[in-house]
């Protein structure tokens, strides 16, 4: 320390250097705090505040009026003993399990074919199928449509009397396969809802996974081909491990979409055929049971958070750098 004090000019003493470093660190944090202050304020007002209000109202008997009496856990006890809620929860969980598996599997398959599933071409060891850019547009097309429009279109497809599906089956002599898809049978209505849900979102995951696969260095694919790996081996040993983080994120997002399914069921499926938890919540709002409805919303929030944490935990693996 004495040697440094002798060698360094007075204005560059170790104490001065430490003090300047501390001031620079404080200036950096002040800049970050100032830059984030306004966005965080908006987020607190328009996102955090409604969540906190919903949690508060879930402990009241609020009916939409000016007053809301605190009732403790009465709404949650009522929810626990409500068979209609458990019926709707069973449907939502069924969609939660099936929709991500089907949608992500189709998205990964189509993305792989578009990115690396084509024949080898001159100068390209790895290439997508012919017309891959056109297929991306076609697959993504449902994403530009309103979900309400999608539900109306598919309601006409599944219509019992004049629907495209039953009409096509009858036209080719398969009259025995004609079904009242939305006419009251729970399993058929669940199948129809699952079909529309997967069709609506598979294009988004095709584009998402195509972007992730496009970031993989071609050298890895070429090395795998030189070692004699086929398409299946290349996919499971190279592609899937390298896009696993994207798949895990997509699984969480698709699970939340499956838990919702509000507009599809509300518009397309009759009330007596199928109910999901968001539709059950909406009906309680229409009846003026706002406190009870917000309790259902809080349960959905907790379930979504738990689901996300489980997927992040179960799907966690060592990150592969390339």
């Amino acid at each position: 320390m004495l040697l440094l004090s002798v060698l360094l000019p007075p204005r560059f003493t170790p104490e001065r250097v430490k003090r300047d470093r501390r001031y620079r660190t404080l200036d950096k944090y002040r800049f970050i705090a100032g830059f984030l202050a306004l966005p965080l304020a908006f987020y607190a007002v328009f996102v955090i505040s409604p969540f906190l209000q919903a949690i508060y109202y879930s402990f009241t008997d609020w009916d939409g009026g000016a007053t809301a009496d605190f009732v403790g856990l009465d709404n949650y006890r009522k929810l626990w003993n409500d068979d209609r809620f458990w019926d709707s929860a069973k449907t939502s969980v069924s969609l939660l399990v099936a929709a991500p598996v089907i949608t992500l599997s189709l998205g990964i398959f189509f993305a792989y074919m578009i990115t690396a599933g084509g024949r080898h071409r001159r100068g390209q060891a790895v290439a997508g199928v012919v017309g891959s850019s056109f297929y991306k547009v076609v697959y993504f097309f449902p994403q530009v449509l309103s979900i309400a429009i999608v539900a109306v279109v598919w309601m006409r497809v599944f219509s019992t009397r004049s629907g495209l599906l039953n009409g096509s089956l009858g036209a080719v002599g398969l009259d025995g396969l004609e079904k009242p898809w939305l006419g009251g049978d729970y399993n058929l209505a669940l199948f129809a809802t699952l079909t529309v849900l997967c069709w609506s979102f598979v294009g988004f995951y095709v584009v998402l996974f195509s972007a992730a696969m496009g970031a993989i260095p071609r050298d890895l694919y070429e090395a795998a081909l030189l070692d004699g790996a086929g398409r299946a081996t290349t996919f499971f040993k190279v592609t899937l491990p390298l896009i696993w983080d994207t798949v895990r994120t997509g699984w969480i997002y698709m699970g939340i979409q499956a838990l919702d399914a509000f507009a599809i069921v509300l518009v397309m499926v009759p009330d007596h055929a199928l109910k999901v938890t968001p539709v059950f919540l909406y009906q309680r709002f229409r009846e003026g049971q706002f406190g009870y409805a917000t309790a259902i919303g809080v349960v959905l929030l907790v379930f979504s958070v738990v689901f996300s944490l489980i997927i992040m935990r179960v799907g966690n693996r060592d990150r592969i750098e390339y």
Side-chain angles (χ1 to χ4, degrees), residues 15-94:
E15 291 78 7
R16 178 66 179 273
V17 172
K18 291 180 181 179
R19 187 167 61 251
D20 290 346
R21 185 181 298 119
R22 185 166 60 252
Y23 287 154
R24 285 196 298 270
T25 302
L26 290 175
D27 289 340
K28 180 180 69 174
Y29 286 128
R30 288 194 191 100
F31 172 77
I32 295 173
F35 186 78
L36 294 178
L38 186 60
L40 288 176
F42 274 96
Y43 187 81
V45 172
F46 295 107
V47 178
I48 302 299
S49 177
F51 275 119
L52 296 178
Q53 292 179 51
I55 293 173
Y56 166 74
Y57 283 119
S58 70
F59 294 104
T60 69
D61 62 353
W62 185 43
D63 59 358
T67 60
D69 296 328
F70 187 80
V71 295
L73 297 175
D74 286 357
N75 287 325
Y76 293 97
R77 294 191 188 98
K78 180 180 178 181
L79 190 66
W80 181 264
N81 297 313
D82 194 336
D83 292 336
R84 296 174 302 172
F85 166 75
W86 290 111
D87 290 339
S88 68
K90 180 183 72 172
T91 304
S92 293
V93 170
S94 299

Side-chain angles (χ1 to χ4, degrees), residues 197-250:
L197 191 63
C198 296
W199 181 86
S200 301
F201 290 99
V202 68
F204 171 80
Y205 291 103
V206 170
V207 175
L208 178 66
F209 294 143
S210 295
M213 294 177 188
I216 299 175
R218 296 296 179 184
D219 295 345
L220 298 179
Y221 285 118
E222 294 174 359
L225 292 174
L226 290 175
D227 288 340
R231 282 191 175 88
T233 303
T234 302
F235 173 75
F236 286 106
K237 298 296 185 181
V238 177
T239 305
L240 188 58
L242 293 178
I243 67 168
W244 182 252
D245 287 344
T246 306
V247 173
R248 185 177 59 176
T249 303

Side-chain angles (χ1 to χ4, degrees), residues 278-292:
V279 173
F280 179 71
L281 181 155
Y282 167 72
Q283 291 172 340
R284 303 293 76 76
F285 266 115
R286 292 187 60 183
E287 296 171 358
Q289 303 180 42
F290 294 108
Y292 185 44

Side-chain angles (χ1 to χ4, degrees), residues 92 95 145-155 182 192-194 196-197 200-201 256-271 274-282 300:
S92 293
L95 293 174
L145 299 177
S146 166
I147 195 66
I149 295 176
V150 170
V152 170
V153 170
W154 278 95
M155 180 175 63
L182 305 176
T193 302
L194 185 61
V196 178
L197 191 63
S200 301
F201 290 99
I256 294 174
Q257 292 294 333
L259 277 177
D260 185 6
F262 171 76
I264 293 176
V265 175
L266 185 67
V267 175
M268 187 180 73
V269 183
D271 288 343
L274 187 72
K275 282 188 177 66
V276 291
T277 304
V279 173
F280 179 71
L281 181 155
Y282 167 72
L300 273 177

